Amino acid sequence: MIYALFVIGLLIGIPIAVTILGTLLVFMAMNDAPFTIRIVATEMFRGMNSFPLLAIPLFVLAGELMNESGITGRIIAFADVLVGRLRAGLALVNIWASVIFAGLSGSAVADTSAIGRVFIPEMEKHGYSREYAAAITAASSVIGPIIPPSIPVIIYALIVTGVSVPSLFLGGIVPGLILATFLSIYVMATVKNETAMKEKLFARESASKALLGGILPLFMPVFVVGSILAGIVTPTEAASFAVAYALLLGVFVYHNITFASLPRIFSRAMKDSAVIMIIIAAVSAANWLLTYNRIPNMLTDWVLSNVDGKIAFLIAINLLFLFVGLFLEGIAAMLVLVPIVHPIAVSLGVDPTHFGIVVIFNLMIGLITPPLGLCLFVAESIAKVGMVRITRAILPLFFVEVMALLVITFIPETVTALPGLFGY
């Protein structure tokens, strides 16, 4: 009954955190000690009572400040200089601008919103269909949480032991570039309108000016990730430095952020962070119940006795997370499932860093799949072409991303080589 209540809550559209908490409260109220309602509040607080979790609202705030400071145009101009002259130039600029933007916000939804507002109308002017432009924007934004800094990576490292944030940060760089390369090959092979593609989006700016304009924003990911890898700061401290750097650029260098606008920016970041933290708290309470009832142990024993080897397990994990990504938001799915499947992966000899990036990659693909793909919704809200048209346009890109997923799944060195080079 309790599982049916949970599934029904999700199907009728109740937010994941409310569904989990409501199900838990009903379960606790119906049972004797130790299943008491006060455990829900206790475990929720314990789940949020973590210093590393402070990195999440700080990175969200840093992303909001960077978006507000007007760096989107500078990033696009920078990417345009690099790939804008190639075949399918505007589509390539869209993809590689997302790669650069990934190092600033770590959020796929923020990427879709910021870049989509510029690119979707601009690509339409240059011969692309509006749904194709929206699909490319949503598909390339998936790169955001894979390349560091990344909020899902920080959460994953908090969920499991034996995996460090720097290791996962390094492990996500090559997979993110592989995904960008696969998408680039696809658009260069499929876009036929040569004349429209070779138009220069920022012809009014010289190449040198565009390159110089992109240098300061690019220093942020180098500064954040580099300071963590060097052991100078923790991820939480690096996030606070990122906020200070974004504030410095927005207020004193670009002059696009005023002190009067700061309350609005902080309020928006606080709302986004609160959603993540409430989900973490709710899932922490649910995980206590699962652990108390030995559900992870029983599932681990069953898998080890029925799954024949590491390859079969990885195939099953990809299918599971791609399916779950259709219905659950990525962070929520990670919090619910990773504590269960990660010990199984380690038992089968899967590298923890490799497994973490595979899981994150899977769930980020879920951001562009209907019926609940957040990036798909954001892109459609900008393009206003209807979910049917944008879904049809993004379907080939979904398969391209699955191909990239298979590469990093079955060639672990694409993930582990870089962390190994740095001693992780």
Side-chain angles (χ1 to χ4, degrees):
M1 173 190 170
I2 204 70
Y3 297 108
L5 187 64
F6 177 74
V7 172
I8 291 170
L10 292 179
L11 290 177
I12 64 177
I14 298 176
I16 178 68
V18 177
T19 302
I20 292 172
L21 290 176
T23 304
L24 282 175
L25 289 173
V26 171
F27 180 84
M28 298 292 185
M30 292 171 57
N31 288 273
D32 298 326
F35 302 114
T36 58
I37 291 177
R38 64 176 177 270
I39 290 178
V40 176
T42 302
E43 293 301 321
M44 286 179 66
F45 178 78
R46 184 177 299 168
M48 292 189 295
N49 187 23
S50 169
F51 176 72
L53 274 181
L54 285 174
I56 294 172
L58 288 171
F59 274 125
V60 171
L61 177 57
E64 291 287 351
L65 289 167
M66 294 298 275
N67 290 343
E68 193 76 16
S69 64
I71 65 162
T72 303
R74 292 176 171 84
I75 289 173
I76 292 172
F78 185 88
D80 185 51
V81 172
L82 298 180
V83 296
R85 295 291 186 182
L86 301 176
R87 178 185 175 88
L90 280 181
L92 290 176
V93 174
N94 191 328
I95 293 166
W96 289 94
S98 291
V99 173
I100 299 170
F101 205 87
L104 304 177
S105 72
S107 167
V109 175
D111 188 337
T112 305
S113 178
I115 291 181
R117 295 182 192 283
V118 176
F119 261 103
I120 292 173
E122 194 66 36
M123 289 177 72
E124 186 181 26
K125 290 179 187 175
H126 289 79
Y128 293 88
S129 69
R130 199 166 179 84
E131 60 266 28
Y132 185 89
I136 286 290
T137 301
S140 61
S141 67
V142 169
I143 300 168
I146 299 170
I147 291 179
S150 165
I151 292 172
V153 160
I154 294 171
I155 293 174
Y156 189 95
L158 289 170
I159 297 172
V160 301
T161 56
V163 175
S164 67
V165 171
S167 177
L168 287 169
F169 273 2
L170 288 169
I173 293 174
V174 173
L177 295 177
I178 288 174
L179 177 53
T181 302
F182 273 47
L183 291 172
S184 299
I185 292 170
Y186 171 79
V187 299
M188 292 180 74
T190 57
V191 171
K192 305 299 182 185
N193 192 346
E194 290 275 336
T195 303
M197 299 318 102
K198 294 190 185 284
E199 293 275 357
K200 189 167 177 58
L201 181 59
F202 286 89
R204 64 184 181 274
E205 292 190 6
S206 66
S208 58
K209 183 178 179 181
L211 290 172
L212 288 173
I215 287 177
L216 285 178
L218 287 174
F219 268 129
M220 179 177 163
V222 173
F223 174 68
V224 169
V225 179
S227 61
I228 295 173
L229 295 177
I232 300 171
V233 296
T234 65
T236 305
E237 292 164 342
S240 65
F241 289 152
V243 170
Y245 186 75
L247 195 60
L248 179 68
L249 285 185
V251 175
F252 299 106
V253 179
Y254 298 143
H255 305 291
N256 289 326
I257 296 178
T258 63
F259 288 105
S261 66
L262 288 179
R264 173 175 52 83
I265 298 170
F266 276 70
S267 175
R268 197 162 58 220
M270 183 174 62
K271 290 177 182 177
D272 292 342
S273 302
V275 172
I276 298 173
M277 299 300 285
I278 290 171
I279 293 174
I280 291 174
V283 174
S284 296
N287 284 340
W288 174 87
L289 182 62
L290 292 172
T291 304
Y292 187 87
N293 287 298
R294 301 189 72 254
I295 301 297
N297 302 77
M298 290 187 288
L299 185 60
T300 300
D301 293 339
W302 183 87
V303 170
L304 291 176
S305 61
N306 289 277
V307 174
D308 186 19
K310 181 165 63 174
I311 299 300
F313 172 74
L314 288 173
I315 293 172
I317 284 296
N318 280 333
L319 293 174
L320 170 65
F321 277 98
L322 285 174
F323 176 76
V324 168
L326 296 174
F327 305 102
L328 279 183
E329 193 274 329
I331 290 175
M334 191 189 308
L335 288 163
V336 171
L337 294 174
V338 166
I340 298 173
V341 299
H342 178 81
I344 303 173
V346 173
S347 300
L348 291 170
V350 181
D351 181 87
T353 300
H354 177 227
F355 185 71
I357 296 301
V358 168
V359 168
I360 292 169
F361 203 113
N362 265 291
L363 293 175
M364 294 309 104
I365 292 177
L367 293 172
I368 63 166
T369 54
L372 298 177
L374 291 179
C375 290
L376 205 59
F377 286 141
V378 173
E380 197 284 323
S381 70
I382 298 170
K384 301 188 185 305
V385 295
M387 285 303 296
V388 173
R389 288 172 62 187
I390 193 174
T391 299
R392 191 183 300 122
I394 209 166
L395 192 59
L397 297 168
F398 166 79
F399 288 113
V400 170
E401 298 198 350
V402 170
M403 289 174 60
L405 171 64
L406 294 177
V407 169
I408 71 163
T409 299
F410 298 114
I411 307 178
E413 292 76 15
T414 56
V415 176
T416 60
L418 204 53
L421 189 65
F422 282 82
Y424 290 99

